[in-house]
Amino acid sequence: MSPILFKDNMPALQNKAYFNYGGQGPLPTQSLNAITSSWQTIQKLGPFTNHVWPYITKEVITTKNLIAEICSIHPKRIAFTENVTSGCVLPLLGLPFSDGDNLLLSDCEHPGIVAACKELARKKNLTIAILPVSKLCNGNDKKDETYNSVLKLIDEYLQKNTKLVVLSHLLWNTGQIMPIELISKRLKEHSSKPYLLVDAAQSFCHIPSKGACDTADIYAFTGHKWAYGPEGLGAVVLSARVLEESSPTLIGWKSLKAEEGIHINNKAPFHSDARRFEIATSCIPLLAGLRSSLAMLKNEGNETERFFKIKSLSCVLWEKLNQIKNIELVLNSPPPSGIISFTINGNHSPEEVVNYLGKENLWIRVLEDPKWLRACVHITTDSNEINNLVIGLENFISTK
Amino acid sequence: MSPILFKDNMPALQNKAYFNYGGQGPLPTQSLNAITSSWQTIQKLGPFTNHVWPYITKEVITTKNLIAEICSIHPKRIAFTENVTSGCVLPLLGLPFSDGDNLLLSDCEHPGIVAACKELARKKNLTIAILPVSKLCNGNDKKDETYNSVLKLIDEYLQKNTKLVVLSHLLWNTGQIMPIELISKRLKEHSSKPYLLVDAAQSFCHIPSKGACDTADIYAFTGHKWAYGPEGLGAVVLSARVLEESSPTLIGWKSLKAEEGIHINNKAPFHSDARRFEIATSCIPLLAGLRSSLAMLKNEGNETERFFKIKSLSCVLWEKLNQIKNIELVLNSPPPSGIISFTINGNHSPEEVVNYLGKENLWIRVLEDPKWLRACVHITTDSNEINNLVIGLENFISTK
């Protein structure tokens, strides 16, 4: 049997040119089959029978081990979550904050996390400061300059009462990579020892994430974006410090060492590992789907090889877009990742652009904050699709 | 084409006699097909393209409307959750409590909810009182007596600082039904106006739930138990009062009226309806699976007809178990629901019993609190399975 070709295994990529991997990745048929097959196995063994538990335990452990290998961390540091937001916010709400503590959030965080931090600040009487990283517009060629600027900003904005820094690994709007390892080192040296919460929605299976994942306190991602996994399954990696100092937020049978009733007075009822942030019954068959997609990705090359391919493609797209009059690229040279954001001059909304391109089966997205257009290239993107997107944009501009 | 027979459509019921609907229900093949088909549709339309959003919106609205019809409430009161625990705890943590407030929990609540309430009490300096409903051991014939006893207990245990009562609609261990509507009325008349949190894990699609669902403040359930839906999808129904007085707990893009960045200072960023408790990306294809199972259930008779069938079956099982020497039934006459709990006298663990029966493909479960055996009958249970379970138990007892 000849091997299944990666792109050919994705129905979503057969009838369109897809440039929104940052929103959701397509699901390979092989991964959907793995999900369905897992459901069939559970039904055959019997849901909630003694026979099914070894299977479920194996599904959980195998998947955590695979993620642990990708992230180069111990699997006990991983909790499964429904999505990135849960992964960020569940442990965040369990951290010990005191009245007046300061939260330092970058100005490139997702509105969900921003709103959660604002609500936390309101409830616990914390203050919020803003780390202005959106202004960093270097491309891949000036990576060191960007990293130095970020570190300078960190030094400048850290206050003596800063207890948390929230910074995405890969900024969802500009496409910049943040030097998480260097920042983590800086924070550990700072007098207030702030926790580092990293939204890794855009980085997992897109850029190499080992060091960042290992050094951040909270590193949350999902399988449904760059990993080509199913929606509804993500994970968060927690530091030893968070596991020690945080208390669980939502709690259910998965958080508990033992299912104890109301008459038992246990001072330490929760798992000491990351399971303290898992809650209750979740959709087990999704695990098989994610593993299948991760295995298919691995077949396409190692982390570095894949990242190199993504950067080559985004470089091509950036160069072509840069030739188009009236397109304003956010970064001033080819980007360090597969994310390219831009605006189009003229009297029309970004939604109009997306609708126009959509009619040609070319799919990019509108970002809400700032109101930019974003095109993502992944290893499945090909030069034909890139050319068609460029033609589509040229046509839009010429008709306006 | 002849109609698909309900039980024949469930692979999980073909090779075993299943008595653990309270843990998880089997998934009909038709519902698994609906899930797979929804995934295929999303891939065809394109995940996160403009084309997919009308489909996703329709999936969400159709499913909420169907649940709203079953519960006889407005769909705006429904939030989707991953499981029952999230449904209970997400809004619970958003309620306004003050130092020293008292939480009144029944002694028949699930360990997950108990642990969440204890942790909430620890964090917010609240006290906990215990409502002793486990001692109520009447059967179906003395329903009124049970209801009166519950109301008397409520009157006795409510304190002037009680701000929350936590009581399951259908107790997962004894199988008693709680008079939620009457209790809700009582609480509204009480000076401290306690909120009423109802764990409906065992009631949704098992007993009629309209009045209870409408009058409770937080009424949380899942699709994966008595509704024969997929694991990983539940819902919570919230009262107008909770929607007004609570603040969201975990927060993500689904909770927000608009995706706003950190520079916007919006005093009311959250949806005013139940969506304020929804978080971020979840597994949309599960909705089609739940709808399919709910439609199949509807075909088997209306709520009252199905409940009558369940009660007839549980009456038969209870009567047969009552004939067996050394079986101690928890209730002293045939039960008001499909849940039957019991113990077996003698020098062996409940786990031994479950293992023994499992070898005969008869599946009941061990409860952890109290350590009882529990058998659940549903509309798919037949007298042959009941007879085999009885024989299995008799054999176990005679060999010990």
Side-chain angles (χ1 to χ4, degrees):
Chain A
M1 200 178 79
S2 60
I4 298 167
L5 292 172
F6 194 46
K7 190 164 180 174
D8 291 351
N9 201 250
M10 297 192 204
L13 301 184
Q14 305 316 310
N15 59 353
K16 67 186 78 62
Y18 188 69
F19 294 93
N20 192 12
Y21 298 93
Q24 182 164 338
L27 186 69
T29 298
Q30 188 173 309
S31 301
L32 179 53
N33 291 345
I35 294 170
T36 308
S37 166
S38 178
W39 246 308
Q40 285 162 343
T41 301
I42 289 172
Q43 295 303 311
K44 195 179 161 202
L45 295 171
F48 264 73
T49 62
N50 282 9
H51 287 165
V52 87
W53 291 111
Y55 173 76
I56 289 177
T57 304
K58 187 168 156 265
E59 287 296 295
V60 167
I61 290 178
T62 317
T63 313
K64 284 195 178 173
N65 284 346
L66 185 54
I67 293 172
E69 191 192 316
I70 292 168
C71 298
S72 218
I73 48 121
H74 196 284
K76 292 253 180 200
R77 289 176 57 190
I78 301 171
F80 286 129
T81 63
E82 198 181 16
N83 44 56
V84 184
T85 310
S86 307
C88 289
V89 183
L90 274 167
L92 166 67
L93 299 186
L95 295 177
F97 292 111
S98 305
D99 208 71
D101 279 350
N102 184 254
L103 313 179
L104 178 59
L105 274 67
S106 103
D107 60 351
C108 288
E109 299 312 305
H110 188 276
I113 313 296
V114 168
C117 287
K118 283 183 172 177
E119 178 66 8
L120 175 70
R122 184 189 69 76
K123 280 185 186 160
K124 297 219 166 182
N125 199 26
L126 314 175
T127 58
I128 288 182
I130 303 172
L131 186 77
V133 291
S134 63
K135 64 185 178 192
L136 305 170
C137 291
N138 292 323
N140 193 38
D141 55 340
K142 292 187 180 165
K143 195 181 84 170
D144 292 344
E145 203 172 294
T146 305
Y147 284 11
N148 284 333
S149 305
V150 176
L151 289 171
K152 266 190 206 153
L153 282 170
I154 290 276
D155 289 340
E156 186 183 340
Y157 281 83
L158 276 182
Q159 301 171 21
K160 63 172 191 284
N161 63 344
T162 304
K163 285 300 286 182
L164 175 79
V165 173
V166 179
L167 184 62
S168 294
H169 190 182
L170 176 45
L171 305 182
W172 74 310
N173 38 26
T174 66
Q176 291 281 13
I177 297 170
M178 296 292 104
I180 297 300
E181 283 178 89
L182 298 174
I183 294 166
S184 167
K185 192 164 171 285
R186 210 71 146 217
L187 299 189
K188 286 188 176 98
E189 291 160 3
H190 192 262
S191 61
S192 67
K193 305 265 178 295
Y195 298 102
L196 178 56
L197 188 166
V198 178
D199 178 344
Q202 300 300 330
S203 37
F204 182 68
C205 292
H206 175 181
I207 64 173
S209 54
K210 289 184 182 186
C213 186
D214 190 39
T215 51
D217 286 300
I218 298 172
Y219 191 87
F221 50 86
T222 172
H224 84 277
K225 293 182 191 274
W226 296 86
Y228 299 101
E231 56 271 43
L233 176 62
V236 58
V237 177
L238 301 166
S239 68
R241 183 184 170 202
V242 165
L243 288 174
E244 196 171 308
E245 297 177 4
S246 68
S247 47
T249 312
L250 295 187
I251 288 160
W253 61 266
K254 280 192 185 168
S255 336
L256 296 169
K257 280 190 287 197
E259 294 196 15
E260 292 167 339
I262 196 160
H263 296 290
I264 291 170
N265 198 6
N266 185 344
K267 292 282 175 205
F270 309 113
H271 286 298
S272 53
D273 57 45
R275 286 175 296 173
R276 56 174 38 216
F277 290 104
E278 294 181 347
I279 306 161
T281 302
S282 56
C283 189
I284 292 297
L286 302 181
L287 297 169
L290 178 57
R291 283 202 315 280
S292 157
S293 293
L294 293 174
M296 290 177 85
L297 264 172
K298 204 172 173 181
N299 277 342
E300 296 298 304
N302 68 32
E303 207 171 39
T304 314
E305 288 163 346
R306 286 186 271 123
F307 185 45
F308 184 78
K309 185 172 179 192
I310 290 173
K311 276 201 291 191
S312 320
L313 289 162
S314 70
C315 178
V316 172
L317 177 57
W318 188 92
E319 296 285 5
K320 285 179 188 282
L321 294 180
N322 198 33
Q323 303 300 316
I324 306 178
K325 205 182 144 189
N326 282 324
I327 283 194
E328 304 283 341
L329 286 153
V330 167
L331 301 186
N332 50 32
S333 47
S337 72
I339 292 176
I340 298 179
S341 293
F342 57 99
T343 55
I344 300 179
N345 297 328
N347 190 21
H348 48 73
S349 68
E351 285 81 4
E352 257 182 87
V353 184
V354 170
N355 290 340
Y356 179 91
L357 294 174
K359 286 192 185 120
E360 308 290 321
N361 291 320
L362 300 160
W363 289 104
I364 66 168
R365 79 170 272 188
V366 179
L367 295 180
E368 292 302 323
D369 177 44
K371 201 88 177 178
W372 288 341
L373 292 160
R374 184 184 76 182
C376 299
V377 299
H378 205 335
I379 55 166
T380 29
T381 309
D382 62 38
S383 38
N384 200 29
E385 289 170 323
I386 289 176
N387 290 337
N388 288 339
L389 175 60
V390 170
I391 294 168
L393 284 163
E394 283 170 339
N395 287 343
F396 175 82
I397 289 166
S398 68
T399 58
K400 291 289 148 181
Chain B
M1 201 178 81
S2 58
I4 298 168
L5 292 172
F6 194 47
K7 190 165 179 173
D8 291 350
N9 200 251
M10 297 191 204
L13 301 185
Q14 305 315 309
N15 60 354
K16 67 185 79 61
Y18 188 69
F19 293 94
N20 192 12
Y21 297 94
Q24 181 164 338
L27 185 70
T29 299
Q30 189 172 308
S31 301
L32 178 52
N33 291 345
I35 294 170
T36 309
S37 167
S38 178
W39 246 309
Q40 286 162 342
T41 301
I42 289 172
Q43 294 303 311
K44 195 179 161 200
L45 295 171
F48 264 73
T49 62
N50 283 8
H51 288 166
V52 87
W53 292 111
Y55 173 75
I56 289 178
T57 304
K58 188 168 156 265
E59 286 296 295
V60 167
I61 290 178
T62 316
T63 313
K64 284 195 178 174
N65 284 346
L66 185 53
I67 293 173
E69 191 191 316
I70 292 169
C71 297
S72 218
I73 49 119
H74 196 285
K76 292 253 179 199
R77 289 176 57 190
I78 301 171
F80 286 130
T81 63
E82 198 180 16
N83 44 55
V84 184
T85 309
S86 307
C88 288
V89 183
L90 274 167
L92 166 66
L93 298 185
L95 295 177
F97 293 111
S98 307
D99 208 70
D101 279 349
N102 184 255
L103 312 179
L104 179 58
L105 273 70
S106 103
D107 60 351
C108 289
E109 299 311 306
H110 188 276
I113 313 296
V114 168
C117 287
K118 283 183 173 178
E119 178 67 7
L120 175 70
R122 184 190 70 76
K123 279 183 186 159
K124 296 219 166 185
N125 199 25
L126 314 175
T127 58
I128 287 182
I130 302 172
L131 187 76
V133 291
S134 64
K135 66 186 177 191
L136 304 172
C137 291
N138 292 323
N140 193 38
D141 55 340
K142 291 187 181 167
K143 195 180 84 171
D144 292 345
E145 204 172 295
T146 304
Y147 283 12
N148 284 333
S149 305
V150 176
L151 291 171
K152 266 190 205 155
L153 282 170
I154 290 276
D155 289 340
E156 187 183 340
Y157 282 83
L158 276 182
Q159 301 171 21
K160 63 173 191 287
N161 63 343
T162 305
K163 284 301 285 181
L164 175 79
V165 173
V166 180
L167 184 62
S168 293
H169 190 181
L170 176 44
L171 306 181
W172 74 310
N173 40 25
T174 66
Q176 290 281 12
I177 297 170
M178 296 292 104
I180 298 300
E181 283 178 89
L182 298 173
I183 294 166
S184 168
K185 193 165 171 283
R186 210 70 146 221
L187 299 188
K188 285 186 178 101
E189 289 159 3
H190 192 262
S191 61
S192 66
K193 304 266 179 292
Y195 297 102
L196 178 55
L197 188 165
V198 177
D199 177 344
Q202 301 300 330
S203 37
F204 182 69
C205 291
H206 176 182
I207 63 173
S209 54
K210 288 184 181 184
C213 185
D214 190 39
T215 50
D217 286 300
I218 298 171
Y219 191 88
F221 49 86
T222 172
H224 84 277
K225 293 181 190 274
W226 297 86
Y228 299 101
E231 56 272 42
L233 175 62
V236 57
V237 177
L238 300 167
S239 68
R241 182 183 170 205
V242 166
L243 289 174
E244 196 171 309
E245 298 177 4
S246 68
S247 46
T249 312
L250 295 189
I251 288 159
W253 60 267
K254 280 192 185 168
S255 336
L256 297 168
K257 280 189 288 198
E259 293 195 17
E260 291 166 340
I262 196 160
H263 296 290
I264 291 171
N265 198 4
N266 185 344
K267 292 282 176 205
F270 308 113
H271 286 298
S272 53
D273 57 45
R275 285 174 296 172
R276 56 174 38 215
F277 290 104
E278 293 180 348
I279 305 160
T281 302
S282 56
C283 189
I284 292 295
L286 301 181
L287 297 170
L290 179 56
R291 284 204 313 282
S292 158
S293 293
L294 293 175
M296 291 177 85
L297 264 172
K298 203 172 174 181
N299 276 342
E300 296 298 305
N302 66 34
E303 208 171 39
T304 313
E305 289 164 345
R306 286 186 272 124
F307 184 44
F308 184 78
K309 185 171 178 192
I310 290 172
K311 276 201 291 190
S312 319
L313 290 162
S314 71
C315 178
V316 171
L317 177 56
W318 188 93
E319 295 286 5
K320 285 179 189 280
L321 295 180
N322 199 32
Q323 303 299 317
I324 305 178
K325 205 183 145 188
N326 282 325
I327 282 195
E328 303 284 339
L329 287 152
V330 168
L331 301 186
N332 50 33
S333 48
S337 72
I339 291 175
I340 298 179
S341 293
F342 57 98
T343 55
I344 299 180
N345 297 328
N347 189 22
H348 47 73
S349 68
E351 285 80 4
E352 258 183 88
V353 183
V354 170
N355 289 341
Y356 180 91
L357 295 174
K359 286 193 185 118
E360 308 289 321
N361 290 320
L362 301 160
W363 289 104
I364 66 170
R365 79 171 272 188
V366 179
L367 296 180
E368 292 302 323
D369 177 44
K371 202 87 178 178
W372 288 341
L373 292 160
R374 184 183 77 180
C376 299
V377 298
H378 205 334
I379 56 167
T380 29
T381 310
D382 61 38
S383 38
N384 200 29
E385 289 169 324
I386 289 176
N387 290 337
N388 287 339
L389 176 60
V390 170
I391 293 166
L393 285 163
E394 282 170 339
N395 287 344
F396 175 81
I397 290 167
S398 69
T399 59
K400 291 289 148 182

